[in-house]
């Protein structure tokens, strides 16, 4: 026991090193996203995240956008609690049968203009859960998807790049166009 305690006090931490992310590049990306939102919507972007059956790996990366490291709220990009306040639905996971109706109702509760972004490989086509008896499939099996951001999970930087591409290229008022970031 004493040896174990000594090792834990003197040994190197067992956690992984944080990723090498260029803080300036992240800030510029978030600023560009805020500018695009103001051009498109006349105000900052609001996002409602929907976990439609994810393993929560994608959520960890999405949550990172709000941590002290990325802190995208300083650029006006906000996660909101209600779809009625959202411009973008950020949907993760294969859509489980239990979440199909909730996702559909959330989509209908979101006012136009709105965009749906399918985040992660599972949200694209079911990913590792494809074919499961509990899964409907990718997000587009339930609601129209405007953008797919692949990855398992995609990084916070990939999420910002995807949202920026969406606002810069999509038609005003939302669209049913499906693209990959
Ligand atoms: S894409 Fe990967 S991290 Fe995201 S929900 Fe699927 S298995 Fe989890």
């Amino acid at each position: 026991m004493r040896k174990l305690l000594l090792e834990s006090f003197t040994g190197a931490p067992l956690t992984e090193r944080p990723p090498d992310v260029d803080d300036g590049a992240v800030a510029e990306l978030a600023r560009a996203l805020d500018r695009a939102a103001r051009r498109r919507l006349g105000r900052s972007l609001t996002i409602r995240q929907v976990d439609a059956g994810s393993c929560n790996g994608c959520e960890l990366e999405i949550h990172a956008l709000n941590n002290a490291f990325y802190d995208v709220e300083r650029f006006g990009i906000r996660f909101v609690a209600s779809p009625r306040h959202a411009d973008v639905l950020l949907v993760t996971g294969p859509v489980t049968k239990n979440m199909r109706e909730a996702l559909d109702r959330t989509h209908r509760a979101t006012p136009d203009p709105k965009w749906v972004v399918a985040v992660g490989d599972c949200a694209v086509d079911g990913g590792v859960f494809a074919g499961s008896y509990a899964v409907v499939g990718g997000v587009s099996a339930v609601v129209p998807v405007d953008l797919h951001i692949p990855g398992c999970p995609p990084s916070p930087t990939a999420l910002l790049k995807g949202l920026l591409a969406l606002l810069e290229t999509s038609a005003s008022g939302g669209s049913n166009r499906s693209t990959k970031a």
Side-chain angles (χ1 to χ4, degrees), residues 54-58 93-94 119-122 128-129 151-153:
S54 150
C55 77
N56 288 152
C58 286
V119 173
D121 290 347
C122 291
V128 291
F129 301 106
C152 183

Side-chain angles (χ1 to χ4, degrees), residues 154-177:
S155 67
T157 307
L159 295 171
L160 287 177
K161 284 181 179 168
L163 288 170
L164 179 60
L166 177 73
L167 288 194
E168 286 188 335
T169 60
S170 63
S172 181
S175 77
N176 294 341
R177 182 182 50 88

Side-chain angles (χ1 to χ4, degrees), residues 17-23 69-70 157:
R17 284 173 51 77
D20 292 327
V21 179
D22 182 343
D23 193 34
F69 189 80
Y70 290 95
T157 307

